[in-house]
Amino acid sequence: MASSNFIDYVKVCCRSGKGGAGSAHFRKEKHAPLGGPDGGNGGRGGHIILKGNVQLWTLLHLKYTKHIMAEDGEKGGTNKSSGAQGMDQIVEVPLGTIARDPETGEKLAEITEDGQEIILIPAGRGGLGNENFKTSTNQAPHYAQPGEPGIEAWVVLELKVLADVGLVGFPNAGKSTLLSKVSAAKPEIADYAFTTLVPNLGVVKYRDYRSFVMADIPGIIEGASEGKGLGIRFLRHIERNSILLFLIAADSADIREEYEVLLNELRKYNPELLHKDRILAISKSDLLDEELKSEIRKELPKGIETVFFSSYLNQGLIELKDLLWHTMNKPKNDFMD
């Protein structure tokens, strides 16, 4: 997943199609001298429709699309024939895409399922032809309705990654390495901070051909909720994860303190994140012997499942996946403390 290809925010101008005008035609045939009004209705314009596509993972295809316009409806014809409807403009987006009003921030639509369709900008209705207005006292109406205008509006599309497990940790905690070990994802791995600049997704294979999705979120530092480091730009992706897997390196000066800092940044960003299931994983545990692990366990925060693992030596990865799978599939009323 190349970082330059991950786009999770675009702003586009959308315009739905205007409705076609109704016809004010009168039937004129030799065998029907008193034919009367026969003007047809105008066709509605085209809608702007959002559609979920599970094959997409970024908004890159919309990055350079500033205007999305649907077709106008055609005007009504003779002999009560209606005008053709304008073609809808279908905008395919990845699952987890939210459309918002750029001025108010109001959520206009949300796509969460493959094939799901939502009318983002409705089209103008077609006008009624004069055939609709004839009455016993008005047998020859010489008027018809114009079509309704389309709607033009700027819309912000933002993507929140959908994943079962979200990796939360400081830079260089080993998140990208873990993802590369348990899935086929190929995130960039290097010995410097903020190697991961965009979220990376990987499908983790589990027992009996089962699997789940893991997301590597760019590293969080103290003050991220105030704009430090990469700030809160990518914290919104954590909102869509079922489980938060906190990764802290075994060589950390204070594992408990790092965990509290991470938890506090999530609390500042969105307190509801603290209601999600949490697991604490100690990475790089090949640096520890059993005596050190016992000492560290005494200092770990209470009320959270903990597992030691080493991506380098493939130690503890099976236990970690077992714990994640059990947590994902536990009964709804079986909450952590």
Side-chain angles (χ1 to χ4, degrees):
M1 185 178 292
S3 60
S4 60
N5 289 339
F6 185 83
I7 302 297
D8 61 353
Y9 182 98
V10 295
K11 185 177 180 180
V12 292
C13 181
C14 300
R15 191 191 73 188
S16 60
K18 66 180 180 181
S23 172
H25 187 268
F26 285 86
R27 185 179 180 187
K28 298 175 182 177
E29 297 179 8
K30 183 176 181 180
H31 63 276
L34 302 177
D38 70 343
N41 302 332
R44 72 154 174 86
H47 299 308
I48 304 293
I49 297 175
L50 288 185
K51 182 177 181 179
N53 185 339
V54 74
Q55 301 297 326
L56 296 176
W57 55 270
T58 174
L59 297 172
L60 176 66
H61 60 298
L62 299 175
K63 181 178 180 180
Y64 302 107
T65 303
K66 292 302 179 186
H67 295 86
I68 299 175
M69 295 178 286
E71 285 188 347
D72 296 334
E74 295 186 3
K75 66 179 182 180
T78 63
N79 197 26
K80 305 179 184 180
S81 60
S82 298
Q85 294 184 355
M87 184 177 295
D88 295 330
Q89 185 65 260
I90 297 178
V91 182
E92 294 194 340
V93 294
L95 308 190
T97 299
I98 295 177
R100 296 188 185 276
D101 184 310
E103 300 296 329
T104 65
E106 177 189 0
K107 184 167 70 174
L108 306 175
E110 182 175 7
I111 299 295
T112 58
E113 298 178 4
D114 186 38
Q116 178 186 4
E117 293 188 1
I118 296 178
I119 296 176
L120 180 61
I121 307 291
R125 292 178 298 182
L128 297 177
N130 64 345
E131 191 272 335
N132 295 275
F133 300 105
K134 65 181 180 181
T135 65
S136 59
T137 56
N138 184 18
Q139 298 183 4
H142 287 264
Y143 53 85
Q145 285 183 335
E148 290 183 345
I151 299 174
E152 182 172 324
W154 284 92
V155 176
V156 165
L157 298 177
E158 65 177 33
L159 172 62
K160 293 183 180 181
V161 168
L162 288 173
D164 300 300
V165 179
L167 302 181
V168 180
F170 282 80
N172 283 351
K175 303 186 301 298
S176 298
T177 305
L178 172 61
L179 185 65
S180 69
K181 287 290 185 177
V182 299
S183 75
K186 302 297 181 185
E188 183 178 354
I189 300 172
D191 190 22
Y192 56 84
F194 299 113
T195 310
T196 302
L197 297 177
V198 298
N200 290 290
L201 291 178
V203 178
V204 180
K205 293 182 180 179
Y206 190 59
R207 307 173 191 270
D208 301 324
Y209 303 101
R210 293 173 291 185
S211 63
F212 56 89
V213 178
M214 181 179 286
D216 174 15
I217 308 300
I220 301 171
I221 65 172
E222 188 171 8
S225 59
E226 301 167 1
K228 294 183 180 179
L230 295 177
I232 64 173
R233 179 181 173 190
F234 297 111
L235 285 180
R236 67 172 176 269
H237 296 292
I238 300 176
E239 295 177 337
R240 292 298 184 85
N241 304 149
S242 302
I243 300 173
L244 301 183
L245 180 60
F246 287 75
L247 254 66
I248 299 178
D251 57 0
S252 168
D254 191 326
I255 292 177
R256 187 187 187 95
E257 181 180 353
E258 279 200 20
Y259 172 73
E260 293 297 335
V261 169
L262 292 169
L263 207 59
N264 190 48
E265 291 305 318
L266 298 187
R267 181 185 294 110
K268 289 180 180 178
Y269 173 70
N270 183 354
E272 293 184 3
L273 292 177
L274 302 190
H275 298 155
K276 293 181 177 292
D277 289 322
R278 303 191 296 270
I279 293 175
L280 177 59
I282 311 301
S283 63
K284 307 178 184 179
S285 62
D286 53 292
L287 302 175
L288 308 173
D289 56 24
E290 289 303 320
E291 184 177 352
L292 279 174
K293 289 181 182 179
S294 298
E295 291 299 318
I296 290 175
R297 285 192 178 95
K298 297 176 184 179
E299 303 297 326
L300 293 178
K302 307 299 181 183
I304 180 172
E305 295 270 14
T306 306
V307 61
F308 289 81
F309 76 95
S310 169
S311 297
Y312 179 69
L313 297 180
N314 291 327
Q315 292 177 349
L317 296 182
I318 297 297
E319 292 79 358
L320 176 59
K321 290 194 285 186
D322 284 341
L323 181 55
L324 289 171
W325 185 264
H326 170 74
T327 305
M328 275 186 287
N329 294 278
K330 67 181 180 181
K332 297 297 182 181
N333 59 350
D334 183 15
F335 294 112
M336 282 186 175
D337 295 333

